[in-house]
Every structure is written in C-alpha cells, then in structure tokens.
Amino acid sequence: KNMARLLYSISRTVTRRRLSTKCLVLGEHDGNLISQGTLAAVTAASKLSEEICLFVYGEKAMEVSAHKIEKIKKVQVSTTNFPSPKAIAQFIEAHKYTHVLGASSTLSKNLCPRIATSLDVSPIMEIVQVIDTQSFIRPTYAGNALSSIQITSEKNKPIVLTVRATAFDKVGMNNETPYEDIEIAADSKAPIILSSSSSANSDRPDLTSAKSIVSGGRGMKSGDNFQMLEQLASKLHSGAVGASRAAVDAGMVPNELQIGQTGKVVAPDIYFAIGISGAIQHLSGMKDSKLIIAINKDAEAPIFQVADFGLVADLFQAVPELTNKI
C-alpha cells in the first residue's frame, strides 16, 4: 500500500508540473518545408507540456505549412529575417514560456545560446531524453557517455534546450492551427550577414531523414569513386550518400555530406560504412543506426566493433558485386 501511495503521489506531481508548463519551439524552415529537427523538437516538447506554440520567422514563414504540425496550439509568426535574440527573450518572458526548444542544428546552436544569455540562464544542448520538466539526458564525450542534467535554479526562469533529432520521433503534419502575427525586432548587431544560400541539386533525401545511407571514407581514394556509392544508394529505399570527415577534408565530396561529431547526426534503418575506419568522431554521428554494415580491407578497423555485419574485402570489388546482387 505504501508503495502504491508513493507511485500515485509521484505521478500526481509529474502531471501537475506538466500541466503548469508552457513550451515554445523555435521553428526552422528552408522557405518551403519545416525541418525534420523542428518536428522532433515538438515531440520533445510534448513530453513537457500540453501547451506548445511554434515560433517561425522570415519572409517566407507563412509558406511552410507550419499550421499543419500536430500537437501545436498556435503558430506565432514574425516576418523578420534575422530576429534579435534579446527581442526573442523578451517575447518569451512576456508570454511566460517555461521551456524553449530548438533543433540541434547549426541555426539553433547559434541562436539558442544567445537567447539563453539574454534570459540569464545556461542552455542545455542536444538532449536525447526528457525525464521530467527539470531533468534531461544528453550525450557527452563524443557520445560515449550519457549525462543526466537537473535544473535546480529557484529563479523560475525559462529552460532553453536543443534537441537531437535522431532521439525523438517526428510529429505528423495533419493539423489546422491558428496563426498569430507578432512583432520581433531585427538583430541590428548581427555578427553574420547571409550573402547567399545554395544547396546541391539532388533527388536524394536529406541525410537526417533518409531511411538508408551509404557512406564513404578515406578508402574511396577519390571523389569519382563515390559514383559507386551513388549506384548502391539508388538500389536502396530512400537511399542517401554520406561521407566521413576524412573524405570531406580530402576534397572528395562537399561538406554537406559529412556525418559525425562535426557533421550531421543520423539514425537510418540501414547504414553502410564503406572504406571508413571508424574514428570516434564519425561513430558519434551514426552509431544509433538500426543496422550497420561495414566494408573495409582492414580487419582491425574500429568500425567493425559497432557493425552488425562486417565484410573484410576490397571495396572496389565488393561494392559493385553487392550492387548487382540487390
């Protein structure tokens, strides 16, 4: 009976905390679509509160179908391209948001710490689990350990978080949420000026949303050889092509294909690591993949320690043969 009462008391406390919270998710988009990271951040927010609002900004903010995101109560829109972090912080305080969440992306990694500074709080970066409204888990030491962080401040200030997209499911896009126009001042002292934006023309899915990924490393020897990986990816459902930092630094492929601690973090259903030795920096970006298949001529390569299936072979013979068999 005592145990039952304790569990009931804990559940009541957690429920009360959840109902008293109010979350703001910082939405990201490319002018056409909301990012997958934002959809994951909404899922994380739903574990904290039932009252979730989405903040989107930019000239094309009204064109990205943000109102269709599930679990959102309201979409707050500013047409300012580069809103001031201080102005966003003032908006957060005025609307009494208890939690502010962003995707673990280059944009949010730049914006969230500046918002947190204006709020006089410390941000918690790249959470992978929500324990309760004040406790979170995030990776450390390049993903080799997980640390539990608890907010103990009594100032009742907002908690600023970024969310690792691969750790949370993405909410659906089947909703009809009202818009609210808001005024957020522009950042007059922005240290970065966007002069241009470009992306590779490709029919392949983005690395962070791909169901299967074929990645190449230093063992590919040249960028021309990545055509082999393109052919293999074409045989796979929703296949994308990635690369290790060594391949990117060698100029074989563009930086946008880099996977790892200083690149993109992915968790596809199938991950092919071809000619990749398995440095810890790369493993931190792909080790959550559901199935890892490694091909490397070095039997002692660290990649085999995390691979579900490993083939010790010359990739220039193995990959074409594998492609033909699929």
Side-chain angles (χ1 to χ4, degrees), residues 194-201 256:
L194 180 63
S195 59
S196 65
S197 177
S198 63
S199 60
N201 294 322
E256 62 195 41

Side-chain angles (χ1 to χ4, degrees), residues 5-312:
R5 288 176 181 174
L6 176 61
L7 293 174
Y8 177 75
S9 177
I10 292 173
S11 66
R12 291 279 293 177
T13 300
V14 171
T15 300
R16 282 198 299 270
R17 282 187 176 182
R18 187 170 181 268
L19 292 175
S20 64
T21 57
K22 184 179 178 182
C23 294
L24 180 68
V25 175
L26 305 176
E28 296 183 21
H29 61 86
D30 61 3
N32 295 304
L33 298 172
I34 285 286
S35 74
Q36 293 294 302
T38 296
L39 300 182
V42 173
T43 298
S46 70
K47 299 180 183 298
L48 296 166
S49 176
E50 293 181 356
E51 187 172 359
I52 306 170
C53 294
L54 179 73
F55 170 59
V56 291
Y57 61 90
E59 294 177 353
K60 296 185 177 181
M62 294 291 291
E63 302 175 18
V64 296
S65 301
H67 66 290
K68 293 184 178 181
I69 300 176
E70 295 176 4
K71 300 185 179 181
I72 295 294
K73 298 294 184 183
K74 185 189 298 183
V75 179
Q76 296 170 311
V77 181
S78 170
T79 56
T80 303
N81 281 328
F82 299 100
S84 162
K86 184 175 182 179
I88 296 175
Q90 292 171 344
F91 172 79
I92 291 167
E93 291 180 316
H95 287 74
K96 294 181 169 54
Y97 285 109
T98 59
H99 296 75
V100 181
L101 299 91
S104 183
S105 63
T106 301
L107 181 61
S108 287
K109 287 178 180 178
N110 172 54
L111 186 60
C112 286
R114 298 170 67 198
I115 293 173
T117 298
S118 298
L119 292 169
D120 193 26
V121 297
S122 296
I124 302 176
M125 310 299 283
E126 289 201 60
I127 66 167
V128 296
Q129 184 179 340
V130 175
I131 300 175
D132 58 38
T133 57
Q134 292 183 296
S135 303
F136 311 92
I137 290 178
R138 66 177 298 272
T140 187
Y141 296 116
N144 284 306
L146 296 174
S147 59
S148 178
I149 298 176
Q150 183 173 17
I151 305 297
T152 58
S153 172
E154 297 179 357
K155 298 179 182 179
N156 294 323
K157 291 191 174 184
I159 297 173
V160 180
L161 310 162
T162 64
V163 175
R164 178 171 284 192
T166 56
F168 295 88
D169 294 331
K170 282 70 174 177
V171 294
M173 298 283 288
N174 187 25
N175 199 5
E176 288 295 333
T177 307
Y179 282 104
E180 177 187 1
D181 291 326
I182 59 174
E183 294 291 334
I184 299 289
D187 189 356
S188 60
K189 298 181 179 179
I192 298 175
I193 298 175
L194 180 63
S195 59
S196 65
S197 177
S198 63
S199 60
N201 294 322
S202 175
D203 294 330
R204 301 200 182 281
D206 182 76
L207 281 170
T208 56
S209 60
K211 297 295 184 182
S212 54
I213 296 175
V214 182
S215 284
R218 193 193 307 273
M220 297 302 298
K221 297 184 179 179
S222 74
D224 292 339
N225 291 328
F226 269 78
Q227 185 61 35
M228 286 194 303
L229 308 191
E230 293 278 354
Q231 294 171 0
L232 176 56
S234 296
K235 292 289 189 78
L236 303 172
H237 176 65
S238 300
V241 174
S244 68
R245 178 174 177 175
V248 172
D249 287 350
M252 299 183 198
V253 291
N255 180 263
E256 62 195 41
L257 299 186
Q258 183 176 325
I259 294 171
Q261 186 177 14
T262 54
K264 294 181 179 179
V265 177
V266 300
D269 293 337
I270 303 175
Y271 187 89
F272 283 88
I274 299 175
I276 295 176
S277 63
I280 188 173
Q281 291 85 357
H282 184 75
L283 298 182
S284 68
M286 47 66 71
K287 67 180 183 179
D288 290 331
S289 304
K290 295 180 177 61
L291 180 68
I292 300 173
I293 301 171
I295 300 176
N296 199 301
K297 66 180 181 181
D298 180 7
E300 302 299 322
I303 191 68
F304 289 120
Q305 296 178 14
V306 298
D308 298 287
F309 296 96
L311 176 63
V312 180

